[in-house]
Amino acid sequence: MMEGFYAVYYTGVAGLGHAVLVINEKIVTGADVAGGVYNGSYSITEKGEFNVEINFTIPAGTTLVTGQTLPEEFTQTITTKLNSNFANGQPVPVNTQLGPVNAVFKKLRDLP
């Protein structure tokens, strides 16, 4: 079951970061240590994969793991496909508007 609380550890060419996501009832929401906010959704394919689309809003002055320092608040849409065992500790490549990122997902707990 995909629903639950997740830690996400991610790296890019200029550094690393981490976030916490809640995945519940086709909604994805969360935040990272730099003040970024994640809001999105997912759907499940016939093959059991997860199509994820997240709007990631980043505050002004943030330096991203992809190397850019943002002069003003910025929102990018991130889309990716995750297989059913995406939280297995293996890096998942994610292409963003500002560069590639590798993410490792760890399920922290199921929902109450």
Side-chain angles (χ1 to χ4, degrees), residues 2 8 19-20 22 29-30 40 54 59 65 71 75-76 78 85 92 96 109:
M2 180 179 189
V8 185
V20 174
V22 176
T29 189
I54 295 174
V65 299
T75 298
Q76 65 176 313
I78 299 171
N85 68 341
V92 176
T96 76
R109 63 171 280 188

Side-chain angles (χ1 to χ4, degrees), residues 48-68:
E49 297 171 317
F50 303 99
N51 289 323
V52 181
E53 183 174 296
I54 295 174
N55 290 319
F56 177 35
T57 302
I58 310 135
T62 302
T63 298
L64 303 175
V65 299
T66 52
Q68 301 86 354

Side-chain angles (χ1 to χ4, degrees), residues 44-50 82-85:
I44 303 171
T45 69
E46 291 180 15
K47 295 180 180 182
E49 297 171 317
F50 303 99
L82 301 172
N83 62 35
S84 60
N85 68 341

Side-chain angles (χ1 to χ4, degrees), residues 27-50:
I27 302 292
V28 180
T29 189
D32 70 19
V33 297
V37 176
Y38 301 80
N39 287 300
S41 62
Y42 69 92
S43 61
I44 303 171
T45 69
E46 291 180 15
K47 295 180 180 182
E49 297 171 317
F50 303 99

